[in-house]
Every structure is written in structure tokens, then in C-alpha cells.
Amino acid sequence: MTTTLHLRKRGYDPFFDFMKGICILCVIWLHSIPKAHTGSVFWASQAVPLFLFMQVFHALKGGRIRFPDWRKLFHRIIAPYVVTLLVILFLPSLIQRPFRFELQAGPGAYYPFVYVQFAILIPLFAWLARAFKGHFKTALLASTLLASIASELAASWLHVPNLVWIYLCARYLFIIGLAAFWLEGRIRLTPWTFLLSLASLYFLWLFRYAHFKWPPLFFDTTWNQCHWVCYFHPAFLCPVLIGLLYRVSFKGLKKLLIVLGKASYEIFLAQMAVIAVLASLFRANKSLACILLAWTLSLGLGLALHRLLARPRRRTTAPAAPGN
């Protein structure tokens, strides 16, 4: 039995904003809700891989290879991120301790770095794969898989610091190859892709809960859910399940998630600042009131920021938000 999720390769597809809306809620969940007994590695932790799958799809859909527009990338991604870091940096009295980038830049502060690196590498890998005429998907899969394995081996042998590894996109490279299945305009959950997804779930359990380690093949890092073998789950099972939810969702919920999806990057920046500033409260008090405050401020400020930034964007063609 095969379940197929169809994707539009041309024009606007609201499903992607719907999926981004779910993903950004997962991001806030990961950064604000105590992780014990939630099994978040199997669902919420798939948000960033899904954002990256969407980024690859939109960079290569329709058979075109899109190189980054640095002007748009700066105004849309880099500049708001730098402003957010400055806001966090100049609120030391609220943070209540000296600023340390690896701790206080905000949860998920690595993501814009990964996004920009992907914007550079996606067209390069696609250009390389296109040289193998008639074998684009195979070449893209093989090249990114080899790059992923080589990156983990090199990181293991060179003892790359955890902080450096976090800000590199190397652990996500295989996503570029797996996105070739999305580029066909459909995601098919066949018995084989379902088994591959189950295998990824098993490895996620091994890495996170059984503390499985196998260096140098898998780099020993705190980000133990981010190995190439774990990405079949967000490549096939996750989007198909979200697609089923999209079909059965009532109009109001669908509209809300699409709105959140359109503002996903601004909400990401807002939660980064809010949770960094409230970090001392979360360490001392994980009460429901504290968590609700983080969610309210993150969503409220993010939506407001999106509306504010959307005005000048209407005058020019803006690049897609992370995930697009």
C-alpha cells in the first residue's frame, strides 16, 4: 500500500506554510517545555530537518537551480538575525549574567548560519549532480551521503568542538540528497520508504535514549539526533503525516497554521530573544505561567515583527523565509 503526498512544483502551495506553522510551534515547544518523557526527538526535533527539506525543494523545484541572492538574503535573513543578537546582548540585566554566545545567543541561534550555508551548497550539489545526465537523483543522493559520512569521519578524527559542529551544516547535508524525492512533486510512503522511516526512528531511539555511540562513523556530539541515518523519517513519514493532518484540519486551524507559517522566521527570532532573556526564569522555575509567558511573547512579537517587515517587502520581491 502506498500513500502519496502531492507537492506543487510551480506557484504558491499553502501546504508548505501549514507545515512551517507546525514546525515553528515544535521549535518553541523544544525550547520552552521540559523535555522529560515527551519523546520530542521523534516529532518536535524534526522541525529543523523539515525546514531544510522545504528550503531545498524551493531552491530546486521546477528543474531550476537557484543561486542565492545575497542582497535579499542579507535583508531577509542576516540583518534581522544580527538585530536580534544585539537585543539579547544589550539586555544583560534581564539575562542576569555575562553574555556567552554559546549559551545566551538564544535557542536555535545556529539555524540562520545553517540556512545560509545551505543556500550556498544546494545549487553546488545540484550543479554537480546535473553533470550526470539522466541520473540526477542518484548522483545527488550519492554525493550528499558521501559528504555526510566524510564530514562525520573528519569531525571525529579532528575532534571538532561541539560548538563549532553546531554552527556547521555538515550534519544536515544528506537532506539535500533526500530532497530529490520531493522534487518529483510527490512524497510517496511505500513499504520501503516506511521501513526506512522506521529505521530512522530506531536510530533516533538508539542515539538519544540508549546512548549509542559509534565513532568515527557517527561523530560523538550532543546533537545525537542529527546523523544522516536519521533523516529518512522527516523525508517520508513526517511530511505524509502532516499532509494527512492538512486534509482533515478544519478551516480555522488550517488558516491559523498558515499564518504562523508565513511568519515562521520572525517567530523564530522572537522566541530566540524571549527565551534567552527569560533563561534565568526557566532554570529556576518551569511553571505553567512561565511557559505560557514565553509562548505568548514569542508568537505575539513574531507576528508583529512579520507584519512590520512585510510592509517594505511588498515594494520589492522578497526571498522566501527559512523553509521556503
Side-chain angles (χ1 to χ4, degrees), residues 148-149 151-153 156 214-219 227-228:
S148 297
I149 295 173
S151 297
E152 298 222 32
L153 289 171
S156 297
W214 194 6
L217 184 59
F218 297 117
F219 179 47
H227 299 292
W228 64 266

Side-chain angles (χ1 to χ4, degrees), residues 305-320:
L305 181 61
H306 174 72
R307 188 166 185 176
L308 178 66
L309 295 178
R311 293 175 181 174
R313 274 191 224 129
R314 292 193 188 105
R315 302 190 192 103
T316 60
T317 303

Side-chain angles (χ1 to χ4, degrees), residues 52 55 110-122 125 147-148 151 164-176 226 231:
L52 295 175
Q55 182 183 353
Y110 69 90
Y111 178 74
F113 285 83
V114 171
Y115 181 87
V116 172
Q117 292 170 67
F118 252 51
I120 298 169
L121 291 177
I122 290 168
F125 274 106
S148 297
S151 297
V164 174
W165 184 252
I166 288 173
Y167 283 84
L168 294 176
C169 73
R171 64 190 183 278
Y172 294 120
L173 287 177
F174 191 41
I175 287 175
I176 299 176
C226 294
Y231 297 134

Side-chain angles (χ1 to χ4, degrees), residues 2-16:
T2 300
T3 302
T4 303
L5 171 66
H6 294 279
L7 307 173
R8 293 183 191 174
K9 293 196 287 185
R10 288 179 174 80
Y12 172 68
D13 187 347
F15 170 71
F16 287 106

